[in-house]
């Protein structure tokens, strides 16, 4: 649970619970009770959407493990849904998908959480599944062996992820004795040593009702639900509390440093400071300090390091405050040559705010942001359930909210100064660096420590020179006089409103010389207007707890925004300012250019995405879909201010604008305000581009790259269909049948054959034909078997109809997922705007279920034969140049990369 999520939790209630008790606040009704066997049950009845979310919180995590069983709590996360006495392997996932839902789990230091969401009409099915899994998991020996291998692959993926690596190295260095120093996922040695006996003993010890909290939120009747819960868990017997006192972390008395060399394109730094647990009275001021120091474009570090001095590509702060004392993080992505200057500048800013404190407006904005953030979290049943579960199990009691909100509102500038001086000290500092291999000689521990001293010196000198400086309704469509299509959908279930303005654009309006212009242009929209600078605009948005940003994809460009509905007029005005009056300042253009180029290079470190970047180039000959939305380093380097303005004028005109407003507002008010503020919007009429689709591949095209990583990534693509074709519906159902957690690929290639950690299929449509694709991530030595296995599964669906149960499960999963996704007003706004723009109609959400329901087994077989021909596809393979045994791999590479990761 992140600090931000924790803050959202703290604002849920206004009264203290008793056991059992009923709470009603802000039209929310929550029941909390304890069964005779000790199981805590929390129920919240909410009829705003036909969805129900179940979460079982088991109060054990990696910090409760013994050294020899490290990672066992996470292994449980993998195993609990792998079968019970009455459900075989794969049946749980299939049953959930048949009920129109999804299921998953995660492990933290203090908890293991199992969660599923599904259509509320299947409440009893969901409850039976989670109660069966919790009480009767089989822990099949063969499945355990497979999942242990999967966990080992997951560890390797973590090693390839520089952000994850930074987090783990920082914690392992900062903590000397406390178990938070160890990775939640365990180590290769500990996981390999786990046996079924360990699993069974751990299960008996920790998986007891008096160590669990069941949270259910959604469209049900509380009395009936509680009766079903009591029946489902009635035979579950309590046992002795297994918790032991964890080691106490001693006070840190000197700076610690660690430098890790990795094959990355960009380096990272992390600074960590020990801070108290979340229930400590200082936590309120610490959270405020974290926001002010490094959260968002108006934070102290972002302004200095990113905007003013251009030392970093990104910087952020995060106060990790779990059950026991945590860590205050400051992290940045940057070039190695800037590490010393960055550490020095961070040191300066910490000392400065510790002495001077925050400005009044800065402090008030931060507190408003922290208190308002929880509203957005409450848009989904899953979010509400997560809040309730974490609040109950980790914060120490449901009365903590009253204390927290009171404490947060009382935080003063002096409090912020005090906690910074108390905790963010050099003696309490740990520094971890992830450095690119080519740059390892540019930095060492001596230089790191010297940069801290330099920062202190610089601040003291500056201080001396200036001592005294201070639930969806019915959508309606309107056409405004200037041609704007306006869609309004009132949804008063939550106090938020979302805006989405879309125009024809994206990759389809670019060529090989202008690639990336749409992304560049749209990203510039919120970086300054004719009235406000980027910083001023961001400050205004922060004051209304909102955000406005441009976007550009394959087929469209535009602007999106979301904020609290009580600030509708202010938010709409800022949204219009960004949409109608961007200023494209030269200094921001150059900053963004640097960011985009760095991001393009950094993308090579995310191998699944890079694999498909190469795949698209192989699949499309001339069509713009062959290009990446961000462009290339070459094209982005040449884009001028005039190019951006010209592209903006070409795309943004009222006759092609589809503007969707969804949320807690009235239709008449929206129509009046939008007409007033956008009434003078005029633009040049742009001829919509018609692009000839590429011909079928007609052959097998191979591409790829050599990367010095732990895993091999494989992408396979077939030319797909268009968004106006009826073929898209059987193809999306087929993708669900193949790739869901209970689907064929997962069952055959991961569960049965242990060929992969991750495997999936997808159907992506476009205005011209998109891609029907497959992905598999595997160990290098399993590459050939993985390719052979996935091609075999493709061949099967072109020969024989899918089963009736597969079809039913896939349809329910798609429709359930669609309903779950449309709980958010932001998703509703984008859905209606884009569907209208693409000619499907703003009310396509009403038609989509019938389209899916109409798909037959024959339709799927026909579509598979038409599109998935094994004589015409592209394959991309990205991974290491050698297998584990040292033998050279057989690669299908179109591009060959050096080990440092740079290349085309």
């Amino acid at each position: 649970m992140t600090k931000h999520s924790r803050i959202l939790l703290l604002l849920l209630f206004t009264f203290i619970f008793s056991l059992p008790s009923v709470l009603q606040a802000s039209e929310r009704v929550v029941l909390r009770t304890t069964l005779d066997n000790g199981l805590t049950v929390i129920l919240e009845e909410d009829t705003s959407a036909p969805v129900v979310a179940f979460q079982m919180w088991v109060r054990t995590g990696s910090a409760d493990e013994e050294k020899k069983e490290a990672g066992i709590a996470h292994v449980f996360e993998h195993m609990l849904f792998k079968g019970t006495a009455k459900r075989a392997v794969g049946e749980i996932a299939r049953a959930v998908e048949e009920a129109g839902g999804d299921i998953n789990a995660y492990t933290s230091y203090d908890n293991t959480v199992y969660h599923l969401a599904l259509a509320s009409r299947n409440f009893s099915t969901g409850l039976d599944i989670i109660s069966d899994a919790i009480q009767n998991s089989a822990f099949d020996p063969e499945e355990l062996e497979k999942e242990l291998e999967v966990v080992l692959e997951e560890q390797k993926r973590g090693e390839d992820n520089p952000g994850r690596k930074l987090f783990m190295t920082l914690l392992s260095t900062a903590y000397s004795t406390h178990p938070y120093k160890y990775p939640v996922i365990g180590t290769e040695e500990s996981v390999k040593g786990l046996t079924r006996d360990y699993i069974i003993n751990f299960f008996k010890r920790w998986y007891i009702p008096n160590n669990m909290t069941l949270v259910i939120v959604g469209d049900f009747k509380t009395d009936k639900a509680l009766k079903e819960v009591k029946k489902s868990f009635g035979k579950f017997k309590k046992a002795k509390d297994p918790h032991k006192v964890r080691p106490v972390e001693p006070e840190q008395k000197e700076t610690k440093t660690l430098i890790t060399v990795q094959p990355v394109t960009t380096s990272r730094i992390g600074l960590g400071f020990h801070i108290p647990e979340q229930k400590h009275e200082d936590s309120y001021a610490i959270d405020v300090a974290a926001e002010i120091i490094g959260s968002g474009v108006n934070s102290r570090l972002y302004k200095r390091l990113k905007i003013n001095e251009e030392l970093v590509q990104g910087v952020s702060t995060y106060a990790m405050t779990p059950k026991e004392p945590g860590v205050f993080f400051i992290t940045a992505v940057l070039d190695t040559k800037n590490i010393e200057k960055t550490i020095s500048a961070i040191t300066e800013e910490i000392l400065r705010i510790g002495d001077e404190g925050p400005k009044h407006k800065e402090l008030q904005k931060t507190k408003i942001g922290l208190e308002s953030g929880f509203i957005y979290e409450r848009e989904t049943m899953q979010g509400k359930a997560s809040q309730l579960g974490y609040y109950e199990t980790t914060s120490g009691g449901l009365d903590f909210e009253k204390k927290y909100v009171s404490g947060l509102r009382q935080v003063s500038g002096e409090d912020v100064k005090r906690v910074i001086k108390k905790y963010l000290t050099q003696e309490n500092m740990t520094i971890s660096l992830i450095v690119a291999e080519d740059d390892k000689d540019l930095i060492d521990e001596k230089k790191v420590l010297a940069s801290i001293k330099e920062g202190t010196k610089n601040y003291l000198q500056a201080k001396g020179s200036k001592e005294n400086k201070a639930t969806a309704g019915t959508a309606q469509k309107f056409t405004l006089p200037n041609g704007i299509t306006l869609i309004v959908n009132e949804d008063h279930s939550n106090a938020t409103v979302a805006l989405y303005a879309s125009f024809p654009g994206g990759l389809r309006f670019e060529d090989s010389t202008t690639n990336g212009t749409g992304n560049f242009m749209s990203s510039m929209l919120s970086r300054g207007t004719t009235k406000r600078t980027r910083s001023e605009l961001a400050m205004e948005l922060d004051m209304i707890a909102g955000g406005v940003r441009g976007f550009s994809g394959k087929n469209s460009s535009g602007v999106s925004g979301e904020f609290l509905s009580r600030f509708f007029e202010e938010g709409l005005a800022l949204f219009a300012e960004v949409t109608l009056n961007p200023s494209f300042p030269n200094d921001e253009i150059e900053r963004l250019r640097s960011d985009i180029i760095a991001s393009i290079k950094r993308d090579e470190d995310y191998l699944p995405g890079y694999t498909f970047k190469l795949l698209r180039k192989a699949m499309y000959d001339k069509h713009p879909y062959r290009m990446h939305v961000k462009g290339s380093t070459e094209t982005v380097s040449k884009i001028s201010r005039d190019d951006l303005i010209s592209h903006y004028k070409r795309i943004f005109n009222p006759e092609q604008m589809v503007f969707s407003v969804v949320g807690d507002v009235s239709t008449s008010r929206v129509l009046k305000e939008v007409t007033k503020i956008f009434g003078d919007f005029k633009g040049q009429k742009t001829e919509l581009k018609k692009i000839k689709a590429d011909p079928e591949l007609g052959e097998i095209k191979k591409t790829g790259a050599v990367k010095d990583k732990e895993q091999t990534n494989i992408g396979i693509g077939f030319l797909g269909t268009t968004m106006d074709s009826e073929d898209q519906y059987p193809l999306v159902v087929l993708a669900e049948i193949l790739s869901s957690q209970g689907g064929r690929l997962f069952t055959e290639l991961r569960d049965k054959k242990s060929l992969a950690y991750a495997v999936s299929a997808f159907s992506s449509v476009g205005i011209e034909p998109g891609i029907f694709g497959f992905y598999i991530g595997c160990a290098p030595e399993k590459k050939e078997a993985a390719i052979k296995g996935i091609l075999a599964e493709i061949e099967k669906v072109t020969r024989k109809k899918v089963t009736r149960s597969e079809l039913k499960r896939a349809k329910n999963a798609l429709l359930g997922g669609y309903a779950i996704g449309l709980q958010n007003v932001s998703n509703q706004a984008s859905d209606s705007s884009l569907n209208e723009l693409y000619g499907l109609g703003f009310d396509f959400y009403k038609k989509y279920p019938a389209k899916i329901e109409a798909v037959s087994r024959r339709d799927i077989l026909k579509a598979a034969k038409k599109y998935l021909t094994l004589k015409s596809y592209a394959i991309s393979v990205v991974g290491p140049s050698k297998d584990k045994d040292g033998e050279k791999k057989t690669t299908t590479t179109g591009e060959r990369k050096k080990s440092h990761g740079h290349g085309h």
Side-chain angles (χ1 to χ4, degrees), residues 25 88 138 153 157 318 353 386 430 474 484 527 624 650 674 695 801:
E153 290 297 324
R157 286 166 66 92
Y318 158 49
I353 195 170
S386 182
T430 300
T474 301
I484 293 175
R527 287 179 169 243
R650 181 186 182 196
V674 171
K801 293 179 183 178

Side-chain angles (χ1 to χ4, degrees), residues 740-779:
S740 61
Q741 195 170 358
R744 291 191 181 187
L745 299 181
F746 195 93
T747 300
E748 295 297 322
L749 303 184
R750 175 172 159 161
D751 279 354
K752 292 183 179 180
K753 298 179 181 177
S754 298
L755 287 177
Y757 171 75
V759 60
S760 62
F762 65 89
S763 179
S764 173
V765 297
I767 293 178
E768 287 79 42
I771 296 175
F772 194 101
F774 298 82
Y775 167 76
I776 187 165
C778 64

Side-chain angles (χ1 to χ4, degrees), residues 45-66:
E45 185 177 326
D46 186 336
T47 59
S48 62
V51 176
V52 63
F54 297 84
Q55 293 194 3
M56 180 64 84
W57 289 66
V58 184
R59 291 187 289 276
T60 182
S62 63
D64 297 307
E65 299 166 347
E66 298 177 9

Side-chain angles (χ1 to χ4, degrees), residues 67-71 148 151-152 155 183 185-195 198:
K67 188 174 182 180
K68 62 184 177 181
E69 60 184 19
L148 290 179
V151 171
L152 293 173
Q155 290 176 347
I185 200 171
T187 65
E188 181 179 4
E189 180 182 5
S190 64
V191 171
K192 283 185 175 179
L194 293 178
T195 64
Y198 273 128

